[in-house]
Amino acid sequence: MATLKTLCFRAATFPDCPSNVTNNKNTRSSNWKPPQAAVKPSLHLPMRSFELKNRTSPEDIKCLRLITAIKTPYLPDGRFDLEAYDDLVNMQIGEGVEGVIVGGTTGEGQLMSWEEHIMLIAHTVNCFGGKVKVIGNTGSNSTREAIHATEQGFAVGMHAALHINPYYGKTSLDGMVAHFQSVLPMGPTIIYNVPSRTGQDIPPHVIQTLAESSNLAGVKECVGNDRIKQYTDNDIVVWSGNDDQCHDARWDYGATGVISVTSNLVPGLMRELMYGLNPRLNSKLLPLIDWLFHMPNPIGLNTALAQLGVVRPVFRLPFVPLPFEKRIEFANIVKAIGREHFVGNKDVEVLDDEDFFLVSRY
């Protein structure tokens, strides 16, 4: 792991380091200054391609109104169920979704190896890249890993990257800026601010600094609509990261759209919210949204898609399904909204505990 060190450069282009030792009168010299951390300029060149197939402009990302944070389905042994995944993505495209986040929190990227992660991004690009924008979650709390994954993601053709600020091992605001500036040169980038997960807010002045890069497509913001207004007032593109606030964010606070979990289930209805003022529909969807986030995402979504018969009822631990009474509640919500608005074509079921597979090794 790279660390900041005090470096003394003795060359023609650098002044000698001021002495920190006392002079022969046992007093510090008059030109003594506290040691400063010297950071070597990075000689790392971004590994990127400008071939036409890979040439996506940040402007192509900025105009997207409905982006789904897509679910990753599993086979009973815990490997990816690509058939179910393809069906789910096709349902999104058929209902007008314009972009998908691959391997995000909803897609359980944190439970994937990087090999799995990049493979799923590549698969999505190869199968659907001409129909929907593929945004790979290649962020990490390790700058080294974020750089490597982002290079690989763009090399396999993703249209944009999603990046989060370093979590758990939090850094300073200057370190945060340096982290993001290490990945921005590679291609169109969405910065994701979700302090409830990272434990650290990305303040607006950090985003303003990053906006100097032409590759910043925008911000996925979860702090709330007042923060969204700060960005839109300064011509920074922003997507709501909160499904329960996205309608108002779009129509009252200037958000471009939403990066949504709920659209995995009702993509057509979420599109209606982003393309027309519709407070009545928004109110109708709030019970579903509240249900989805009763437990940390993606527990509710995984349970719901299994009950709809769209994915197998397989959970990679540490995620486990919602309890039985919440499964009954979901079935009632589906009936209230209308089964025809949900993905899939099977009747909603109330699954028993023994119907689920919990996989700890995969």
Side-chain angles (χ1 to χ4, degrees):
M1 180 180 290
T3 56
L4 291 177
K5 296 180 180 179
T6 302
L7 303 176
C8 292
F9 298 94
R10 296 189 181 276
T13 55
F14 295 94
D16 288 349
C17 292
S19 174
N20 293 349
V21 300
T22 56
N23 59 21
N24 52 13
K25 291 185 179 181
N26 204 32
T27 60
R28 288 179 173 172
S29 58
S30 59
N31 65 345
W32 182 89
K33 295 180 180 178
Q36 300 291 318
V39 181
K40 289 183 179 180
S42 175
L43 301 180
H44 184 88
L45 297 176
M47 185 176 71
R48 60 190 177 189
S49 168
F50 290 107
E51 287 299 312
L52 183 60
K53 182 180 178 182
N54 289 349
R55 196 183 304 155
T56 302
S57 164
E59 301 304 317
D60 296 331
I61 305 300
K62 290 179 179 181
C63 64
L64 306 179
R65 291 195 188 179
L66 178 57
I67 302 171
T68 295
I70 198 76
K71 152 73 177 167
T72 307
Y74 303 116
L75 296 168
D77 61 2
R79 290 175 300 135
F80 294 160
D81 185 346
L82 292 180
E83 290 184 24
Y85 178 82
D86 293 349
D87 287 344
L88 188 56
V89 175
N90 273 318
M91 293 174 202
Q92 299 295 306
I93 294 170
E95 294 290 342
V97 169
E98 299 148 309
V100 290
I101 304 288
V102 179
T105 306
T106 304
E108 301 178 25
Q110 69 276 16
L111 303 185
M112 299 177 188
S113 67
W114 279 117
E115 181 183 39
E116 287 181 311
H117 207 133
I118 300 301
M119 181 273 281
L120 191 60
I121 292 172
H123 172 80
T124 310
V125 171
N126 289 336
C127 295
F128 308 106
K131 302 176 183 177
V132 69
K133 294 301 182 189
V134 179
I135 303 160
N137 170 34
T138 53
S140 172
N141 58 353
S142 161
T143 304
R144 177 183 62 84
E145 285 192 8
I147 291 171
H148 184 61
T150 304
E151 286 179 335
Q152 290 188 324
F154 279 117
V156 300
M158 71 182 184
H159 301 109
L162 180 74
H163 279 282
I164 201 164
N165 51 306
Y167 49 88
Y168 189 73
K170 295 181 288 186
T171 184
S172 64
L173 295 183
D174 287 342
M176 191 186 294
V177 170
H179 174 83
F180 287 129
Q181 287 178 337
S182 296
V183 293
L184 274 166
M186 298 176 198
T189 301
I190 297 174
I191 302 296
Y192 181 17
N193 186 33
V194 56
S196 63
R197 288 187 179 271
T198 64
Q200 186 177 31
D201 183 32
I202 305 175
H205 75 267
V206 167
I207 298 299
Q208 291 283 0
T209 300
L210 299 175
E212 296 173 7
S213 169
S214 61
N215 276 335
L216 182 68
V219 182
K220 177 185 177 183
E221 183 57 72
C222 295
V223 164
N225 287 343
D226 288 338
R227 175 69 62 85
I228 285 174
K229 188 70 162 58
Q230 286 183 260
Y231 290 135
T232 57
D233 283 348
N234 288 281
D235 298 321
I236 293 174
V237 170
V238 59
W239 293 270
S240 174
N242 299 326
D243 284 348
D244 60 337
Q245 299 177 353
C246 70
H247 176 268
D248 293 347
R250 170 81 181 98
W251 299 108
D252 296 334
Y253 294 87
T256 293
V258 62
I259 298 178
S260 175
V261 175
T262 309
S263 56
N264 278 277
L265 299 174
V266 287
L269 297 184
M270 292 302 295
R271 180 180 169 85
E272 286 186 40
L273 289 187
M274 292 301 100
Y275 276 87
L277 183 65
N278 197 333
R280 184 175 180 180
L281 175 59
N282 186 54
S283 297
K284 186 177 181 179
L285 289 177
L286 285 178
L288 171 63
I289 296 169
D290 291 342
W291 182 92
L292 273 173
F293 294 96
H294 171 75
M295 289 285 186
N297 181 52
I299 294 170
L301 177 64
N302 293 353
T303 305
L305 287 170
Q307 289 188 238
L308 291 169
V310 175
V311 304
R312 289 181 169 89
V314 180
F315 282 66
R316 281 186 173 184
L317 287 172
F319 297 125
V320 297
L322 288 178
F324 187 75
E325 59 272 16
K326 298 301 289 185
R327 294 173 225 158
I328 296 173
E329 187 178 329
F330 176 69
N332 292 330
I333 290 172
V334 172
K335 292 172 185 175
I337 294 175
R339 176 63 184 90
E340 68 276 10
H341 296 298
F342 287 77
V343 293
N345 50 26
K346 297 180 180 178
D347 290 337
V348 62
E349 294 186 71
V350 179
L351 299 177
D352 294 323
D353 290 347
E354 57 266 25
D355 292 325
F356 291 94
F357 293 81
L358 306 182
V359 184
S360 59
R361 296 189 180 189
Y362 36 84

